[in-house]
């Protein structure tokens, strides 16, 4: 067996190496997340609330589109409003790769907190709310309900 490569094999190896380097460079220069990357309907960990994350003017928001009878009763008891239709995520905008920051309204407490949403993958995100920035925080993993309409990637 010969230890030397034919010119065709060398060209193929060089082409593969260049393709790998170019691919790594494109991945490193991936565009920042777009607001639409988190658009869709998401379910909380208990499955008691579904919110639709969507554009609201120049920012992103999350509105309750479905809630269990118990969740609706808890909110109704606290502030005499229906949970369905409430905007829980307010004024969210991109802050870091796959991360958005804004305000989170907690209807059980009738209070608004600083909030953060981090897209973990196409089907899950971490929602976090804090009394003060990064102080007294609570986070949850939410699951996308409409994965069929979730963005699959970005055009280069």
């Amino acid at each position: 067996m010969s230890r030397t490569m034919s010119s065709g094999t060398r060209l193929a190896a060089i082409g593969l190496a260049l393709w790998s380097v170019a691919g790594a460079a494109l991945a490193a220069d991936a565009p920042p997340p777009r607001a639409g990357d988190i658009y869709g309907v998401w379910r909380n960990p208990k499955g008691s609330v579904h919110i639709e994350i969507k554009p609201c003017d120049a920012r992103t928001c999350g509105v309750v589109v479905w809630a269990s009878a118990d969740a609706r009763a808890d909110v109704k008891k606290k502030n005499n409003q229906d949970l369905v239709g409430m905007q829980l995520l307010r004024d969210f905008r991109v802050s870091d790769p796959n991360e958005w920051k804004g305000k989170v309204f907690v209807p059980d407490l009738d209070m608004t907190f600083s909030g953060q949403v981090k897209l973990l993958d196409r089907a899950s995100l971490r929602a976090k709310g804090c009394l003060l920035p990064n102080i007294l925080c609570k986070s949850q993993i939410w699951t996308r309900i409409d994965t069929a309409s979730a963005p699959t990637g970005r055009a280069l």
Side-chain angles (χ1 to χ4, degrees):
M1 223 185 340
S2 171
R3 290 184 178 245
T4 61
M5 286 191 224
S6 70
S7 62
T9 306
R10 272 183 272 171
L11 285 175
I14 290 169
L16 183 59
L18 288 174
W19 179 260
S20 298
V21 170
L26 287 173
D29 292 335
R34 299 169 300 183
D37 291 346
I38 60 170
Y39 292 168
V41 179
W42 298 84
R43 177 183 67 230
N44 71 345
K46 292 180 181 178
S48 60
V49 176
H50 297 177
I51 63 167
E52 180 182 9
I53 298 179
K54 61 184 184 176
C56 293
D57 298 322
R59 303 263 171 104
T60 299
C61 67
V63 177
V64 178
V65 293
W66 178 88
S68 70
D70 288 343
R72 292 175 86 165
D74 286 346
V75 171
K76 191 87 163 163
K77 185 173 24 174
K78 176 66 180 173
N79 62 20
N80 202 29
Q81 292 182 358
D82 192 356
L83 179 57
V84 174
M86 278 189 177
Q87 189 180 87
L88 302 186
L89 304 181
R90 301 172 178 178
D91 298 326
F92 272 73
R93 63 179 165 213
V94 173
S95 59
D96 283 321
N98 296 322
E99 190 173 278
W100 293 258
K101 289 186 179 178
K103 298 173 187 156
V104 178
F105 176 67
V106 180
D108 304 22
L109 303 173
D110 199 24
M111 295 178 72
T112 302
F113 300 94
S114 65
Q116 175 183 1
V117 173
K118 182 169 179 87
L119 192 62
L120 303 176
D121 55 43
R122 280 186 67 226
S124 58
L125 62 79
R126 177 180 301 117
K128 178 175 157 184
C130 301
L131 184 58
L132 298 170
N134 293 320
I135 298 175
L136 298 173
C137 301
K138 180 179 180 180
S139 68
Q140 300 177 328
I141 304 297
W142 287 59
T143 305
R144 187 186 298 268
I145 293 175
D146 60 346
T147 55
S149 65
T152 57
R154 298 187 189 119
L156 297 177

